[in-house]
Amino acid sequence: MESAPSLTARRKADTRLAIARAAAARFAEHGASRVTAEAIAAAAGVSLRTFYRYFPTKEDAVAPLLGIGAASWQDALAASPPGDPRTAIPEIIDHLLIPAGDAEREGLRWTRGLLRAMIEDPALRAVWHRVNHDSETRLRAIVAELEGETADPFQVRLLAAAATDAIRIGLEHWSESDADPDGSGGTPAALARRAFAELSSGVSER
C-alpha cells in the first residue's frame, strides 16, 4: 500500500506549482522574452535561489502546469472501458476542452497566451513538445492495456500519436484565433475532435 506524501513533499509540490502558474501567467501576458526568472520568483513569492532549486530555466517552469493537463487526459483514458479507445477519445476531448466553469475558461485563455508566446521562443516550444512527447509515451501503455492481448504495438503507437497530436493541434490552431473556448465553430474541442477523426482514420480497427 502506497503511503501518503509527507508534508514536506506536499509543500514542495505546492511551491513548484505556484512557480509554474506565475510563469505561465506572465509568459501569456508579456511574452517569454520580456519575463525574467526574477519576476517569476517574485510573483510566486519565492527567492530566486528557490526558483533555481526547482527549475533550471524560466521556460522549464511551465512544465508542471502543462503536465497536469496531460495527466488529466491520461487518467481519463485509463478509466474508460476496455475495448477500442477510439470510442472514448472524442468524449474525453470534450470533457477536457469544453470549459465547465470560469476556472476552466481562464485556464484555456492562459494556455492560448502561452502558446502564442511559444511562437517567438524556441526554449518554450521545446518544453511544450517535450510534455507532448512524454504524454504520448504514457498513452501507448494505456491504449495497449485497453485493447488487451490482441493489441498490435504499431497500431497502438499510431493511435497514441493521433490522440496526442489531436489535442496539441486543436489547442495550437485555436490559439491563433480569438474564438471563445466554448463558443461555436473553431473551439479547441471541436478542432481537436476533427483532428483526431482525420489522424486516426488510417488506423485499422481491431
Side-chain angles (χ1 to χ4, degrees):
M1 182 176 178
E2 295 183 3
S3 59
S6 67
L7 179 59
T8 299
R10 292 197 300 272
R11 284 177 175 169
K12 286 182 177 179
D14 288 344
T15 299
R16 187 177 177 84
L17 191 55
I19 295 171
R21 286 174 173 149
R26 273 141 194 83
F27 290 160
E29 183 177 358
H30 304 292
S33 64
R34 291 182 288 276
V35 176
T36 63
E38 290 89 343
I40 296 169
V46 300
S47 67
L48 185 60
R49 182 177 179 181
T50 297
F51 176 92
Y52 282 118
R53 279 208 304 267
Y54 285 90
F55 302 104
T57 69
K58 65 180 184 180
E59 290 86 1
D60 279 302
V62 300
L65 205 53
L66 295 174
I68 288 174
S72 297
W73 164 236
Q74 295 153 20
D75 291 345
L77 186 58
S80 62
D84 189 345
R86 277 171 296 194
T87 60
I89 287 171
E91 294 180 3
I92 294 172
I93 287 173
D94 283 351
H95 176 69
L96 294 177
L97 295 185
I98 296 177
D102 290 341
E104 290 82 2
R105 288 186 190 91
E106 183 60 28
L108 282 168
R109 290 191 181 102
W110 72 249
T111 298
R112 172 158 55 195
L114 192 57
L115 289 170
R116 288 178 174 178
M118 289 177 189
I119 295 172
E120 298 179 354
D121 194 289
L124 201 54
R125 286 201 305 274
V127 174
W128 171 243
H129 288 297
R130 185 177 74 232
V131 169
N132 277 277
H133 178 271
D134 291 347
S135 179
E136 180 185 324
T137 300
R138 295 187 186 102
L139 280 181
R140 287 184 211 163
I142 295 170
V143 170
E145 180 69 21
L146 290 172
E147 294 202 339
E149 296 179 357
T150 61
D152 177 345
F154 186 67
Q155 298 293 325
V156 164
R157 185 166 190 166
L158 288 176
L159 191 56
T164 303
D165 284 346
I167 289 186
R168 178 183 62 79
I169 292 170
L171 284 169
E172 288 177 352
H173 194 75
W174 171 74
S175 74
E176 296 170 3
S177 74
D178 294 320
D180 289 336
D182 53 356
S184 60
T187 65
L191 291 166
R193 284 182 68 121
R194 176 183 171 187
F196 179 72
E198 298 194 20
L199 290 170
S200 64
S201 62
V203 182
S204 300
E205 295 186 9
R206 296 177 60 201

